Amino acid sequence: MQTRTGPTPTQTSAPSIEVIGRMGPRYNEILTPEAVTFLTELHQRFGARRYDRLADRMRRRFEIGNGHDPRFRDDTAHIREDAEWRVAGAGPGLEDRRVEITGPTDPKMTINALNSGARVWLADQEDATSPTWKNVIEGQLSLRDAIRGQLSFTSPDGKTYEVTAERTPTIVMRPRGWHLGEAHLQFTDRAGRTMAASGSLVDYGLYFFHNAAQLIANGRGPYFYIAKLESSEEAKLWDDIFTFSERYIGIPHGTIRATVLIETLPAAFEMEEILFELRDHIAGLNAGRWDYIFSIIKNYRGRGARFVLPDRSEVTMTVPFMRAYTELLVKTCHKRGAFAIGGMSAFIPNRRDPEVTQRAFEKVAADKKREAGDGFDGTWVAHPDLIPTARAEFDAVLGDRPNQVDRQRDDVEVKASDLLDVHIGRPVTADGVHANVSVAIRYIEAWLRGLGAVAIDNLMEDAATAEISRSQVWQWIHQDRSTAEGDPITREYIEGLIAEVLGEVDRRDGDRYEDAAEIFREVALGQEFPAFLTLPAYAKFLIETD
């Protein structure tokens, strides 16, 4: 990494963004002077507010950790009590979202998603993408080419992939969360202070600048999934970014549509307020189940034994706090004319193992049947083979209707205590602890090699599921838990499992298992609890310095 020195803080200069990362083939098509100017404007106008919101998050976690449970806000009660307001709702191409496929944006996965038959593709630059500089920029190239009908891919073994579907899914792009930086782009503000760019603003800004006009011409629009919000103030920040962006390129206010993932505990208490702040730009909310479980653990990790969750496999969508959260989400969305989109079951088929595939179909069918019956308007899958299964369950409820937004859930009453009812009554088992250590290390190893969505033990793992695995280990240690078999879960116990896992995996030249174990030790065995495992992993291993 080259070091840049700018003016002293007492001087003023024009804000700028400098490209520090290596320039690969066609990168200049994404990092054009005009696009970089737009990124600079976004950072100058909104970068300071991003830091304010991140500081709010730290304060809120501190308060919860010290016994102040979240609650529905008194100062925004008037928003919840006003029955008149509604959100913008679906934009063109978002009217029917019964099955959405998720996945990273490399060329092969982009083509597979566009050929999948899903109604929507979540083009994921966030938890399903390892944010290497290559993935960040080449993902943008894949999207740019796909939107213009110009994408093809030839694999190293000579196989050619092309988009052949008559009707491709509507693209909803997910930028990185507010917490992640982009160190390969350096922003210098008016005072001469230089810092890493925001991953959120980079992902969003490059996609919007290059593709908004073409998407509109295609009969769709610039649509975004917004991840990891924790408050309506964060939603307001995004709304202001959308409004500025529309003015910047000269498109009508409200052209952008966002779907916000409710995947943090604080956001679950502000669903209506989030909808309200984004009301001119929002299509709906999504129940981001895996990050939501992680958020529960993160916020309550030090609050005592009653907040300790059992094996990850036991934290299902039918346990009390997850039922309360999803029921409230559907009710809130439909009350305001917004779509409620269900989450992703982690089970995936294995074309080489019919028994595994059949079990995945059964699990996914049950999950999607529950969501459709609860009133969700659509759902996620992580594999094309699961689309017919998920679609069948939603077809059974929706029929020819594009959604069920008109279904009001007046029968649902959720109190703050319901959202915090984490009692499950199941033990932590030795197998559960081993599974967490194994999944986390294997996932981190793949992430360090540039893979963000990884099939492990017939489940689709991404950064969110790895976060559950490592945060549970941290909490079990710090809350002095023991396994059902009687073994205290200590750092020494986990070190033994790390050694065991490293002995079980298939090693190969160039693998990253030692680095993965180093990161796992830092985020699961350290005294401090990093807010996200990707923060130290990115800083240590993904920033290119040559």
Side-chain angles (χ1 to χ4, degrees), residues 438-503:
S438 178
V439 165
I441 289 176
R442 285 188 284 167
Y443 177 80
I444 294 169
E445 192 274 336
W447 190 89
L448 294 174
R449 288 188 288 109
L451 301 175
V454 188
I456 298 176
D457 298 335
N458 301 307
L459 298 175
M460 184 58 72
E461 305 286 351
D462 67 5
T465 56
E467 291 283 23
I468 296 172
S469 296
R470 70 94 180 185
S471 61
Q472 283 198 304
V473 169
W474 192 99
Q475 186 183 38
W476 292 335
I477 291 170
H478 285 261
Q479 294 300 323
D480 299 321
R481 299 293 90 193
S482 294
T483 67
E485 294 80 0
D487 295 312
I489 305 173
T490 62
R491 288 182 178 84
E492 292 72 25
Y493 180 77
I494 300 300
E495 284 286 1
L497 292 179
I498 294 171
E500 190 175 314
V501 167
L502 293 177

Side-chain angles (χ1 to χ4, degrees), residues 14 18 33 60 84 89 186 198 202 211 281 318 324 402 419:
E18 184 173 9
R60 191 177 299 111
E84 300 302 315
Q186 293 286 312
S198 158
V202 169
N211 302 306
H281 290 112
T318 59
L419 293 171

Side-chain angles (χ1 to χ4, degrees), residues 1 16-18 20 43 47 50-51 54 176 178-189 193-202 538 543:
M1 180 70 65
S16 64
I17 282 182
E18 184 173 9
I20 304 297
H43 282 80
R50 170 196 171 222
Y51 284 113
L54 291 174
R176 281 170 282 180
W178 282 130
H179 59 288
L180 285 169
E182 178 46 72
H184 302 96
L185 293 172
Q186 293 286 312
F187 171 63
T188 301
D189 67 11
R193 294 168 297 206
T194 297
M195 63 207 78
S198 158
S200 298
L201 294 179
V202 169
Y538 180 82
I543 299 174

Side-chain angles (χ1 to χ4, degrees), residues 383-443:
H383 193 287
D385 289 355
L386 296 173
I387 290 173
T389 299
R391 185 168 54 223
E393 297 301 335
F394 275 83
D395 286 349
V397 172
L398 295 178
D400 294 331
R401 294 179 299 155
N403 55 70
Q404 52 184 333
V405 173
D406 60 347
R407 182 184 170 193
Q408 302 295 298
R409 291 298 312 272
D410 295 332
D411 56 306
V412 172
E413 290 294 334
V414 174
K415 304 184 295 296
S417 59
D418 297 326
L419 293 171
L420 301 175
D421 182 5
V422 299
H423 178 70
I424 296 177
R426 302 288 295 171
V428 178
T429 69
D431 284 346
V433 183
H434 179 276
N436 277 13
V437 175
S438 178
V439 165
I441 289 176
R442 285 188 284 167
Y443 177 80

Side-chain angles (χ1 to χ4, degrees), residues 232-283:
S232 57
E233 285 79 11
E234 292 186 28
K236 174 61 174 170
L237 173 55
W238 271 113
D239 193 70
D240 289 345
I241 290 167
F242 296 155
T243 296
F244 168 76
S245 301
E246 289 164 338
R247 287 200 307 264
Y248 191 91
I249 67 167
I251 60 176
H253 178 73
T255 301
I256 294 172
R257 287 290 194 277
T259 303
V260 171
L261 292 111
I262 302 299
E263 55 184 353
T264 67
L265 177 64
F269 287 86
E270 298 189 34
M271 293 188 204
E272 285 195 75
E273 292 89 337
I274 287 169
L275 288 172
F276 181 79
E277 295 295 355
L278 280 159
R279 61 194 178 279
D280 291 347
H281 290 112
I282 197 161

Side-chain angles (χ1 to χ4, degrees), residues 1 130-135 182-184 441 443-451 510-523 533-546:
M1 180 70 65
S130 169
T132 65
W133 179 234
K134 180 178 188 292
N135 286 345
E182 178 46 72
H184 302 96
I441 289 176
Y443 177 80
I444 294 169
E445 192 274 336
W447 190 89
L448 294 174
R449 288 188 288 109
L451 301 175
D511 72 37
R512 304 297 297 274
Y513 280 109
E514 298 303 330
D515 294 336
E518 176 186 336
I519 291 295
F520 180 76
R521 288 186 178 96
E522 180 174 349
V523 300
L533 71 83
T534 48
L535 292 173
Y538 180 82
K540 286 186 175 183
F541 295 114
L542 292 198
I543 299 174
E544 298 176 10
T545 58
D546 54 0

